[in-house]
Amino acid sequence: MVGTSLAGDESVVDTATQVKRPIEIKWFLIGAVILVVAWLALIPLCFLVWQSFMTTATLNQPAVFTLENYERALGSADSLRLMGNSLQFAFGTSLFALALGTFFAWVNERTNTPFKSLFFAMSIIPLVIPGILFTASWIMIASPQIGIFNLVLKDLFGLSQPVFNIYSLPGMIWVDGLHYAPVAFLMVTAAFRAMDPSLEESAMMSGAPVFQIARRITLKLAWPAILASFLVLFIRAIESFEVPALLGLPVGIQVFTSAIYEAVQSYPSNIGLASAYAAVLLVLTSVAIYYQSRISSQGSRYSTVTGKGFRPRMLDIGRWRYLTGGLFILYVVLVVALPFLVLFWASLQSYYAAPSMAALKNLSFAAYGRVLDYPGFYTSVWNSTVLALGGATIVMLLTSVICWITIKTKIPGRWLLDLLASMPLVFPGIVLGLATMIFYLHFDIGIYGTLWIMMVAYVTKFLPYGMRYNSTSMVQIHKDLEESAAMSGASWFATFRRVVFPLLKPGLVAGFIYIVVVSVRELSSSILLYSPGNEVLSIMIWEFWQNGQYVELSAFGVMMIVALFCFLMVVQSVSKRFGISEN
Amino acid sequence: MLSVEKLTTIYRDGSGKQVAGAHDVEFSVPTGQLFTLLGPSGCGKTTTLRSIAGLERPSAGTIRAGNRMVYSSDMNVFVPPNQRQFGMVFQSYAIWPHMNVFENAAFPLQMRRNRPAATEIRNKVMACLEAVSLDHLAEREATKLSGGQQQRLALARALVMEPQLLLLDEPLSNLDAKLRDKMRFELKRTQRDLGLTTIYVTHDQSEALALSHEIAVMNQGRIVQIGSPRDIYERPATSFVADFIGSTNFIDGTVRGMSGEELVVDTSIGQLRVEARSRPAPGASISLSIRPEDLHLSEGAPTEQGFNRLSGVVEAKVFLGEVLDFRVEINGVSLLARAHPSLRTHVGEGINIAIDPAKCTMLATQ
Ligand SMILES: Nc1ncnc2c1ncn2[C@@H]1O[C@H](COP(=O)(O)OP(=O)(O)O)[C@@H](O)[C@H]1O
Ligand SMILES: [Mg+2]
């Protein structure tokens, strides 16, 4: 024996009583987590479904059960057009984004195209720009009345009709597709990187030409991932709100999300109808998510991961590389440079005018001053900051415990917890906003009409993101690491704090940053939940747009984009210093 | 020090069906001794070790360490692993990658309920790191250690808590052959110097024979034999043990009767006198194990007294450096024999064989 034995002289009885202290802190935490998640994800949904079967209450008529909402949402001639528009928009957008993203992913991962070092940075930028700013900038580029493209072409060729009309279904698909292409780019790139390079190299040794290899081997092997990205894009497109609201509503092209908004905003507001639309939309997204998760779980059948760290040799595509390089530059111009420049131009005017020699004389920074003096500007900055930082912290902490339960324990029913925490994935932002609004209207705990109702919605909406970041790092923590802490005498809480949590840190930080960025962009849930005095940044933009204050909107947008970039730059350099890998 | 009684740990698959585990494991380890669980992969060694650690919850049995009951199904006692204060070295070493060498080793002390002062922790940790020659690397990132260094750090971390019992799960299996030999001796020295009661899990018979005071051979979740290394090697209880530990010749035979204290057995290679470990009735069929090095080969007449004498023909031979393996045919049966390389008999020539009756081991029928 070494030294004195630590516990050797404890009596048998003493130990036996220790064991009969079964309720550990762990169980309280687990119980609390389950309650919180069910509260966030499940209950608002139940209220939403309940409301979709009720008439609107008026002063002298209480709400009663009805099927009328569904008749209107599904059975009328209008509803057919609505469904048609929604599906066309979603399919068009997702296919366009997928084609762009897959093409650039292949170009970047497999060919010797020039400017490749820029690909990643440039293609991630659109993810940072809020959708409403991107859409507004494209209105300034291609609207029939004020669009720069149209004005320039009219001047050049003396046309009487505008060439582009952004206020149309193709226009909507174009704008949203450009904006979502990076999502496809990132997903397909990941699939290409996971591929065993020797599969393509052996095709090359068999004498296959470059484009044959791409078509017959690379794309075929990446097919499950491509299909999965298509479904992800489809979901994003069908729940997209900014583009349909700004481009579709002015000309009467309604999709489900904008129809929900109109039904709530109409006077008197028709919550029942909005809920019925929301229920239909939920069915669509659920089906898409179901197929996507099936593809992902079948993925192992196609699995081509070898774990070898090397990248395949780049294919020499000869002179084609000037074309691919040129296309990439064009994409960057359309998605990053042009929108930003247009906003910047507009922000320097006193009232909106297309670029011209005359307008050049009126440049001033006055709009920036007006925005800074705008009532509520600082409040909205503060509100957005609180929501972004607070929401991201809550989500990452909560999901770290959820992931620990679902991945590291054998507690029966843990799949249910996983399901609940991932469920908000099927909630389009506007549906979540609607459900949250209904719930806290009927179940008054004093947060309706305050900032906190938005916090609740944000936390709910971003739970699945937290789950994804945390579970990725959680599965990498070998159970020996926890068990050896237990053998060293650490309690469950100490093990979590000293071993699990620090090992999760890279994932926690990356997830935190991601959630901060998407929170600042968030519009579609906030739009139904904010009240005067509780505006956030994206709502400010929305209000500028509604008031026709394009110049102020542009100045505000430029400041916001610059601020988001500075945030990301700081984060990147800080995380490099501390060796935190970002994804 | 440690006593394990009727320990049963069962794994169940999704539908609740019993799949594997350890059954009715029973052994005890005196203070300061190194006890080895030996057996092929999947036989339940790790399961047994983890049950002792408290990382698996057994379904039945009793585990007592010193005078402390840590598990008993009858008395409904289960001390959680973090209160057992056993040191454990995992097969993967489980070095925490976010802590440096010192922090890894200091962790168990920081977890004590009455946490020692910082200087005391520092002294104890450095003493342990010195014991495993890692003191000069105390500030190094744990991820920047070689395999051997990780193994020693894992050991230091287990030692720093001055455990009642040290549990080692295949601690050398992740090292290359050279390093394994070196670490084997260091491990043995540390264990002996500190007088640590140790349970050692391995599937490597030479490791077990070299290190242990006592060995338990396991197969399919059960212990089949417990004994000293010499016992296990020289007197395997079953054909499984004989086969698993070293190589051996199996010979089946029928009991003819007793001759003095020895059993006379008719076998396919002729009549053999065998040391009687039990007294089976004449006519019973039994199985014998004879180690290759116990077949004494000679070209002339054997000189050994009281040995069984046989003759055969050399079928094949393989030169292995310090020994020469012969395949000898006797009455149509091939036996493996190990001889000194100075024996020059050619293939096809006749040869004499002498076997000590004490080295003909009767095996239990399974
Ligand atoms: N967590 C588990 N669930 C189900 N079966 C297990 C588990 N761990 C081990 N087993 C099975 O129990 C048997 C014994 O395993 P183990 O004790 O790890 O063997 P070894 O002797 O190689 O250490 C094996 O068949 C193994 O597949
Ligand atoms: Mg094992």
Side-chain angles (χ1 to χ4, degrees):
Chain A
M1 297 298 312
V2 207
T4 55
S5 91
L6 293 167
D9 40 19
E10 272 180 62
S11 71
V12 172
V13 181
D14 185 31
T15 345
T17 47
Q18 270 181 14
V19 179
K20 289 213 176 105
R21 199 190 44 180
I23 300 185
E24 291 174 64
I25 182 167
K26 157 167 113 180
W27 297 107
F28 280 116
L29 210 56
I30 290 171
V33 163
I34 292 174
L35 283 182
V36 167
V37 173
W39 175 274
L40 289 175
L42 200 58
I43 299 178
L45 182 68
C46 299
F47 271 75
L48 179 85
V49 173
W50 168 61
Q51 274 296 302
S52 70
F53 288 104
M54 302 302 274
T55 58
T56 311
T58 57
L59 274 180
N60 36 23
Q61 245 183 343
V64 291
F65 178 84
T66 178
L67 287 175
E68 196 191 321
N69 295 325
Y70 283 98
E71 272 163 37
R72 267 188 76 185
L74 289 171
S76 64
D78 277 353
S79 73
L80 267 184
R81 260 228 330 272
L82 180 62
M83 181 67 91
N85 284 341
S86 298
L87 291 180
Q88 276 182 55
F89 172 64
F91 271 106
T93 301
S94 46
L95 287 177
F96 177 46
L98 185 69
L100 271 181
T102 307
F103 173 71
F104 286 124
W106 179 76
V107 167
N108 183 36
E109 286 297 309
R110 291 295 192 265
T111 70
N112 60 342
T113 299
F115 316 119
K116 279 210 313 198
S117 53
L118 296 176
F119 264 63
F120 244 92
M122 284 298 161
S123 51
I124 294 174
I125 290 174
L127 292 177
V128 178
I129 300 177
I132 186 166
L133 282 179
F134 190 71
T135 315
S137 68
W138 266 94
I139 291 176
M140 298 180 199
I141 294 169
S143 103
Q145 293 81 36
I146 59 168
I148 298 172
F149 275 11
N150 285 321
L151 297 182
V152 169
L153 287 177
K154 263 198 231 173
D155 272 359
L156 278 183
F157 301 106
L159 304 172
S160 57
Q161 289 294 313
V163 184
F164 302 105
N165 180 8
I166 204 79
Y167 295 108
S168 64
L169 208 49
M172 290 159 66
I173 291 173
W174 170 260
V175 174
D176 234 14
L178 278 183
H179 199 203
Y180 285 153
V183 177
F185 174 82
L186 292 176
M187 287 186 76
V188 178
T189 295
F192 283 172
R193 290 198 174 166
M195 215 177 269
D196 183 349
S198 65
L199 296 173
E200 286 163 88
E201 282 161 359
S202 59
M204 178 171 285
M205 296 316 288
S206 328
V210 169
F211 292 102
Q212 289 288 330
I213 298 174
R215 195 168 65 82
R216 310 256 313 249
I217 309 288
T218 317
L219 287 181
K220 284 273 159 61
L221 286 172
W223 188 241
I226 292 176
L227 213 55
S229 350
F230 168 73
L231 288 167
V232 167
L233 290 166
F234 180 85
I235 295 161
R236 287 226 180 181
I238 205 155
E239 51 178 67
S240 162
F241 173 71
E242 289 89 337
V243 167
L246 263 56
L247 298 182
L249 285 184
V251 290
I253 303 173
Q254 273 198 347
V255 300
F256 278 115
T257 50
S258 50
I260 293 172
Y261 177 72
E262 291 258 282
V264 175
Q265 296 298 318
S266 62
Y267 189 81
S269 72
N270 195 338
I271 301 285
L273 180 63
S275 303
Y277 284 144
V280 176
L281 193 49
L282 274 177
V283 171
L284 285 178
T285 52
S286 303
V287 169
I289 296 248
Y290 170 75
Y291 280 108
Q292 191 227 328
S293 68
R294 268 212 2 199
I295 292 171
S296 307
S297 61
Q298 280 174 357
S300 52
R301 199 157 50 93
Y302 285 86
S303 176
T304 48
V305 179
T306 56
K308 290 184 202 135
F310 55 85
R311 301 268 297 272
R313 214 172 61 86
M314 293 300 158
L315 301 175
D316 186 352
I317 53 171
R319 274 177 304 163
W320 289 99
R321 70 178 190 277
Y322 299 115
L323 179 67
T324 52
L327 286 174
F328 176 64
I329 297 296
L330 182 66
Y331 175 75
V332 172
V333 166
L334 289 180
V335 173
V336 181
L338 206 54
F340 185 77
L341 288 177
V342 164
L343 285 180
F344 188 56
W345 168 262
S347 73
L348 299 179
Q349 306 287 306
S350 39
Y351 58 93
Y352 182 75
S356 64
M357 287 315 276
L360 210 53
K361 296 206 180 78
N362 298 329
L363 296 188
S364 84
F365 282 96
Y368 289 86
R370 286 203 300 281
V371 168
L372 292 177
D373 290 340
Y374 197 79
F377 172 76
Y378 292 101
T379 322
S380 73
V381 170
W382 172 248
N383 287 344
S384 277
T385 310
V386 168
L387 286 176
L389 298 182
T393 308
I394 295 173
V395 166
M396 292 318 289
L397 291 183
L398 188 61
T399 52
S400 70
V401 177
I402 298 174
C403 283
W404 183 82
I405 295 172
T406 57
I407 292 172
K408 297 288 179 187
T409 70
K410 300 250 177 298
I411 296 172
R414 60 189 186 284
W415 60 270
L416 190 67
L417 191 57
D418 193 15
L419 186 75
L420 279 177
S422 308
M423 208 165 78
L425 266 188
V426 303
F427 294 164
I430 192 136
V431 173
L432 180 67
L434 180 65
T436 310
M437 177 181 103
I438 296 171
F439 177 38
Y440 291 99
L441 260 176
H442 288 91
F443 187 82
D444 189 6
I445 55 169
I447 66 169
Y448 188 82
T450 70
L451 197 60
W452 305 117
I453 194 169
M454 285 202 257
M455 181 72 96
V456 169
Y458 283 22
V459 168
T460 312
K461 182 169 182 179
F462 300 135
L463 270 185
Y465 299 155
M467 289 294 287
R468 201 178 57 208
Y469 278 97
N470 272 322
S471 65
T472 311
S473 17
M474 190 69 82
V475 292
Q476 287 167 1
I477 302 178
H478 200 281
K479 78 177 194 317
D480 282 0
L481 297 177
E482 280 173 75
E483 288 179 345
S484 57
M487 293 310 293
S488 306
S491 66
W492 177 81
F493 190 71
T495 305
F496 200 85
R497 194 173 64 82
R498 292 284 308 270
V499 176
V500 178
F501 204 71
L503 289 173
L504 282 180
K505 216 187 301 165
L508 281 173
V509 172
F512 180 87
I513 293 163
Y514 183 74
I515 294 176
V516 165
V517 172
V518 291
S519 298
V520 172
R521 275 190 344 205
E522 205 314 309
L523 173 70
S524 54
S525 299
S526 320
I527 195 133
L528 294 183
L529 297 175
Y530 83 97
S531 43
N534 289 321
E535 284 93 351
V536 292
L537 292 174
S538 55
I539 295 292
M540 286 270 292
I541 303 177
W542 175 260
E543 287 184 341
F544 281 136
W545 182 261
Q546 298 295 60
N547 302 339
Q549 294 168 287
Y550 297 166
V551 176
E552 286 78 3
L553 180 148
S554 303
F556 190 87
V558 168
M559 288 192 280
M560 188 163 166
I561 291 174
V562 169
L564 274 172
F565 274 107
C566 292
F567 171 72
L568 283 183
M569 295 297 222
V570 170
V571 160
Q572 190 130 55
S573 68
V574 168
S575 57
K576 253 200 202 118
R577 263 249 296 295
F578 293 102
I580 294 161
S581 71
E582 257 233 68
N583 35 351
Chain B
M1 209 312 291
L2 178 79
S3 83
V4 176
E5 284 158 33
K6 293 252 173 250
L7 180 71
T8 301
T9 304
I10 292 166
Y11 293 116
R12 294 176 190 285
D13 64 9
S15 56
K17 213 174 60 148
Q18 205 168 301
V19 284
H23 300 273
D24 290 326
V25 171
E26 225 166 63
F27 61 87
S28 62
V29 187
T31 303
Q33 294 220 335
L34 191 148
F35 184 88
T36 298
L37 293 169
L38 173 67
S41 160
C43 71
K45 308 176 297 285
T46 299
T47 307
T48 307
L49 195 75
R50 288 169 58 83
S51 304
I52 295 170
L55 295 169
E56 297 295 341
R57 206 180 176 118
S59 51
T62 308
I63 304 171
R64 214 185 302 262
N67 54 2
R68 187 167 67 129
M69 178 88 83
V70 291
Y71 173 73
S72 162
S73 52
D74 295 338
M75 292 166 63
N76 203 16
V77 172
F78 178 84
V79 178
N82 52 9
Q83 290 168 22
R84 291 194 185 187
Q85 294 287 349
F86 298 163
M88 181 158 173
V89 173
F90 289 73
Q91 190 169 359
S92 64
Y93 305 143
I95 301 297
W96 299 303
H98 59 297
M99 302 181 190
N100 67 21
V101 169
F102 180 87
E103 288 164 340
N104 260 282
F107 186 83
L109 295 180
Q110 294 166 348
M111 287 301 127
R112 290 248 178 107
R113 233 175 285 166
N114 40 359
R115 180 178 170 157
T119 48
E120 193 189 337
I121 291 184
R122 170 152 285 275
N123 293 340
K124 282 192 172 175
V125 170
M126 290 316 288
C128 276
L129 289 179
E130 209 177 305
V132 297
S133 335
L134 280 181
D135 43 333
H136 61 294
L137 297 179
E139 302 305 321
R140 168 116 15 133
E141 294 288 313
T143 46
K144 300 214 170 88
L145 295 181
S146 69
Q149 289 167 336
Q150 285 190 26
Q151 195 268 346
R152 281 182 284 163
L153 175 55
L155 185 63
R157 186 174 66 189
L159 294 178
V160 78
M161 52 201 289
E162 297 172 355
Q164 234 187 336
L165 180 66
L166 181 63
L167 306 173
L168 306 171
D169 191 356
E170 313 227 4
L172 304 179
S173 67
N174 281 339
L175 305 178
D176 59 62
K178 267 267 168 55
L179 197 55
R180 193 151 51 208
D181 288 344
K182 183 165 163 275
M183 297 307 295
R184 183 195 291 175
F185 284 108
E186 289 198 10
L187 208 59
K188 179 73 187 170
R189 187 176 49 80
T190 314
Q191 186 269 332
R192 204 174 30 217
D193 290 355
L194 300 177
L196 277 168
T197 314
T198 304
I199 301 188
Y200 189 97
V201 162
T202 182
H203 66 267
D204 181 334
Q205 40 130 344
S206 58
E207 222 167 274
L209 295 174
L211 287 173
S212 324
H213 291 101
E214 221 175 13
I215 298 175
V217 183
M218 291 188 75
N219 187 26
Q220 298 184 345
R222 292 172 192 280
I223 292 185
V224 286
Q225 186 176 6
I226 298 185
S228 68
R230 187 165 279 275
D231 252 6
I232 298 267
Y233 187 79
E234 290 183 348
R235 330 179 99 226
T238 68
S239 59
F240 170 80
V241 178
D243 198 29
F244 184 71
I245 301 195
S247 44
T248 196
N249 296 294
F250 289 116
I251 296 159
D252 292 329
T254 315
V255 176
R256 169 159 287 244
M258 296 295 294
S259 147
E261 283 306 292
E262 289 168 348
L263 202 60
V264 181
V265 182
D266 281 333
T267 72
S268 44
I269 59 169
Q271 202 170 69
L272 292 178
R273 282 169 295 114
V274 172
E275 189 191 66
R277 294 168 79 182
S278 62
R279 298 193 173 227
S285 40
I286 62 166
S287 196
L288 302 176
S289 151
I290 307 174
R291 298 279 181 199
E293 63 272 22
D294 294 329
L295 293 165
H296 294 213
L297 303 182
S298 58
E299 290 183 341
T303 50
E304 294 91 344
Q305 291 300 308
F307 278 34
N308 291 297
R309 291 178 183 199
L310 303 161
S311 59
V313 175
V314 176
E315 220 174 29
K317 53 182 193 176
V318 183
F319 178 63
L320 295 173
E322 60 260 58
V323 292
L324 193 57
D325 272 2
F326 281 80
R327 186 155 281 288
V328 181
E329 196 220 289
I330 310 170
N331 283 350
V333 179
S334 281
L335 294 185
L336 186 67
R338 190 156 289 169
H340 193 267
S342 60
L343 189 65
R344 297 283 169 157
T345 317
H346 295 289
V347 172
E349 290 178 2
I351 197 158
N352 292 317
I353 302 127
I355 310 171
D356 185 350
K359 301 285 167 123
C360 300
T361 312
M362 276 172 64
L363 300 172
T365 45
Q366 286 185 311

